[in-house]
Amino acid sequence: RQGWEEEYRQSADAAIARRVLETETWRTAETVFAYVSVGQETDTRALIEAALMQGKRVYAPRCVGKGIMEARLLRGLHELRPAAFGLLEPTESAPAIAPEAIDVLLVPCLVAGRDGYRLGYGGGYYDRFLARARGVSICLCRARALMPGVPRDAHDAPVDFVITETEIWETKKGR
């Protein structure tokens, strides 16, 4: 990912955001959980801002223990604070919501497979969170990082959709 041209990353990320915004799932969602992109991750800031402008309740991850994260309310990007591993997180005082109560979950990846499984950074934070979620999970993945399949363990949780700049792939939860 670090070798990809900045122009590619920016154009791919803008196209991914457009595809997400065009989905019926997004349009009807009242609550959105979105990772806050850092480094080379697919950028989520435009989606977070769009959700806020559309009157959706937006939640972002806050790590609260080894492998455990919570969804905390985010009223604007200005509320984010630096956290471990270079992440930006909502404050501890921001209200939390249970994963089961979220309509749409935007999930990061290093690479993703067409079967709905993804490789992250190895902490299992999203797998544990997704295992409890009932909403529609969407992995944001640039096309260059989409693979036929990725290695997985029994505890790995697949997503419902993988969205790249070129396609929307329904995964059938890894079936």
Side-chain angles (χ1 to χ4, degrees):
R1 293 187 315 178
Q2 291 179 346
W4 296 341
E5 309 83 22
E6 184 63 24
E7 182 179 327
Y8 167 71
R9 285 195 299 267
Q10 288 178 0
S11 68
D13 294 359
I16 290 168
R18 279 193 304 276
R19 286 187 179 279
V20 170
L21 293 171
E22 292 170 355
T23 66
E24 183 67 18
T25 298
W26 179 271
R27 284 193 297 271
T28 60
E30 294 178 12
T31 57
V32 173
F33 173 81
Y35 70 95
V36 179
S37 54
V38 295
Q40 304 299 319
E41 291 178 325
T42 301
D43 191 13
T44 56
R45 282 166 177 75
L47 289 166
I48 291 169
E49 289 175 347
L52 292 167
M53 287 178 46
Q54 293 167 359
K56 299 179 188 301
R57 289 184 312 278
V58 178
Y59 295 84
R62 180 174 173 82
C63 298
V64 294
K66 184 176 168 96
I68 307 296
M69 69 181 182
E70 295 177 339
R72 297 291 182 123
L73 185 64
L74 183 64
R75 293 182 185 97
L77 294 171
H78 66 278
E79 292 184 347
L80 295 167
R81 299 292 177 259
F85 309 111
L87 299 175
L88 294 171
E89 296 181 341
T91 64
E92 187 176 354
S93 63
I97 188 173
E100 299 87 348
I102 300 169
D103 297 323
V104 173
L105 302 97
L106 301 181
V107 182
C109 71
L110 292 171
V111 297
R114 292 182 182 276
D115 57 0
Y117 289 93
R118 45 175 278 288
L119 292 180
Y121 294 97
Y125 289 86
Y126 282 87
D127 294 314
R128 287 180 189 88
F129 196 83
L130 290 173
R132 295 181 48 208
R134 289 189 173 74
V136 176
S137 54
I138 301 170
C139 180
L140 307 181
C141 180
R142 295 180 191 110
R144 291 181 184 177
L146 184 62
M147 306 294 164
V150 296
R152 65 179 188 247
D153 293 321
H155 67 274
D156 290 341
V159 296
D160 296 300
F161 292 90
V162 176
I163 296 184
T164 74
E165 68 272 23
T166 59
E167 63 186 314
I168 297 176
W169 189 265
E170 185 173 3
T171 69
K172 308 273 193 275
K173 285 269 190 185
R175 291 186 192 99

